[in-house]
Amino acid sequence: MFDLSGKTALVTGATGGLGGAIAKSLHAQGATVAISGTRREALEALAAELKDRVHVLPCNLGVAEEVEKLVPDAEAAMGVLDILVNNAGITRDNIFMRLKDEDWEQVLNVNLTSAFRLSRAAVRAMMRRRTGRIISITSIVGVTGNAGQGNYAAAKAGMIGMSKSLAQEVASRGVTVNCIAPGFIATPMTDALNDKQREGILKSVPAARLGTPEDIAAACVYLASDEAAYVTGQTLHVNGGMAMI
Amino acid sequence: MSDIAERVKKIVAEHLGVEPEKVTENASFIDDLGADSLDTVELVMAFEEAFNTEIPDDAAETILTVGDAIKFLEKNAA
């Protein structure tokens, strides 16, 4: 089950906690992976860890021209692209009244617009080949909202609506489009929390622990697999029961 | 009938799974041949591949009938 041998995947934000775990898990299931991010050294380090079946494709998702090149580069490096994982994301948190236009624009641009551009570029060949997987990493806050994250929550909610729409267009062509919505995951971002904050968060998580990047990566492996062919337009919530929706 | 017209009609008939005799120059992909909007995108991609040419989006949007495709490709394909 969930064998990805012979498949190819592009993972954005692969230098982050989640993206790195996703790339490793897809790779462990047999996929060839193209890893993308802004920090070349971090990508090279991950590539060295994976050893074979890996391609390093640095890209700044804030720059439209670089985004447009990424899928063609991945296709050139790997022959075809079977699995696109839109994982890259940034935050520029602030209470709504203090959110600057540029905080809004940057977050929407990197988190949502780049996912749109990459999906648009990837779906063409997927549709023609009658197979493909587009998986976008959204967030629980895209569904529940979160004080101080109006821009981030909007981008993540946008991803869900975008994915459902694309899913309807290409379902008959064997391409599935889904989202994964992580809850609180242990990453460098949550490491910055103090014990009291952490305790407060855990009170709202029935599983009584933070999620791990591997929890998210496992969901990604499932959605990327042939076994998930009949699952499309869905948002898979991986949050320890924090929100049951 | 030009070679291009013949090839276009063959691609359309095969791709949409319709009787070759229904694929006339006046036939609209969507209204007469049962294509959906995604089929028209795929047809354009099939034309691009078969004729080794690029059909920009704004041109693709004007290709609504078999005749439109033939005219465009006669003008633009090598």
Side-chain angles (χ1 to χ4, degrees), chain A residues 124-125 127-128 130 169-173, chain B residues 15 36 38-39 41-42 45-46 48-49:
Chain A
R124 232 182 139 80
M127 200 172 83
R128 189 179 247 179
R130 295 290 188 267
E169 289 186 20
V170 296
S172 64
R173 267 62 174 183
Chain B
H15 192 89
D36 63 19
L38 222 50
D39 287 320
V41 174
E42 288 183 322
M45 292 196 290
E48 287 179 332
E49 200 164 284

Side-chain angles (χ1 to χ4, degrees), chain B residues 15-37:
Chain B
H15 192 89
L16 298 178
V18 294
E19 303 291 323
E21 55 267 26
K22 282 195 181 155
V23 186
T24 60
E25 302 221 349
N26 290 329
S28 151
F29 296 125
I30 291 178
D31 296 334
D32 301 319
L33 301 176
D36 63 19
S37 52

Side-chain angles (χ1 to χ4, degrees), chain A residues 222-245:
Chain A
Y222 167 62
L223 291 174
S225 72
D226 288 342
E227 283 79 2
Y230 203 53
V231 179
T232 194
Q234 304 301 313
T235 299
L236 182 47
H237 289 270
V238 182
N239 62 27
M242 186 179 175
M244 301 189 183
I245 29 192

Side-chain angles (χ1 to χ4, degrees), chain A:
Chain A
M1 295 265 273
F2 314 130
D3 180 22
L4 301 178
S5 300
K7 308 260 190 205
T8 59
L10 168 62
V11 181
T12 66
T15 51
L18 286 186
I22 289 168
K24 282 185 207 170
S25 293
L26 296 174
H27 186 267
Q29 294 305 110
T32 298
V33 294
I35 50 177
S36 186
T38 46
R39 290 176 290 135
R40 180 180 271 278
E41 311 76 62
L43 291 172
E44 297 287 359
L46 177 58
E49 205 179 318
L50 297 177
K51 293 195 185 82
D52 57 352
R53 290 183 283 115
V54 61
H55 301 269
V56 171
L57 301 177
C59 177
N60 181 349
L61 293 182
V63 181
E65 297 73 38
E66 290 191 33
V67 179
E68 295 291 354
K69 263 188 82 241
L70 185 54
V71 166
D73 284 352
E75 288 172 337
M78 302 188 291
V80 295
L81 180 60
D82 296 305
I83 303 156
L84 168 66
V85 184
N86 290 311
N87 164 73
I90 59 166
T91 53
R92 295 284 181 272
D93 297 352
N94 213 332
I95 59 166
F96 210 87
M97 283 175 289
R98 293 211 180 106
L99 267 185
K100 293 190 188 69
D101 281 5
E102 64 199 62
D103 298 332
W104 176 268
E105 278 155 19
Q106 269 188 15
V107 166
L108 268 285
N109 190 32
V110 172
N111 296 13
L112 182 59
T113 307
S114 75
F116 157 66
R117 290 195 171 114
L118 294 174
S119 302
R120 182 179 58 185
V123 78
R124 232 182 139 80
M126 289 179 178
M127 200 172 83
R128 189 179 247 179
R129 296 172 48 235
R130 295 290 188 267
T131 178
R133 297 282 182 270
I134 297 177
I135 301 165
S136 295
I137 309 302
T138 174
S139 165
I140 185 175
V141 310
V143 178
T144 62
N146 193 26
Q149 290 197 304
N151 48 359
Y152 186 74
K156 294 302 191 182
M159 242 175 183
I160 294 174
M162 178 183 82
S163 298
K164 288 178 177 175
S165 305
L166 178 56
Q168 291 182 27
E169 289 186 20
V170 296
S172 64
R173 267 62 174 183
V175 180
T176 70
V177 188
N178 292 287
C179 289
I180 297 170
F184 273 105
I185 307 299
T187 61
M189 193 176 83
T190 45
D191 288 346
L193 299 170
N194 63 39
D195 284 352
K196 204 170 162 203
Q197 287 171 315
R198 190 179 299 260
E199 215 172 281
I201 288 168
L202 286 180
K203 267 190 201 142
S204 64
V205 182
R209 68 167 176 89
L210 294 179
T212 65
E214 289 71 29
D215 290 324
I216 305 306
C220 197
V221 165
Y222 167 62
L223 291 174
S225 72
D226 288 342
E227 283 79 2
Y230 203 53
V231 179
T232 194
Q234 304 301 313
T235 299
L236 182 47
H237 289 270
V238 182
N239 62 27
M242 186 179 175
M244 301 189 183
I245 29 192

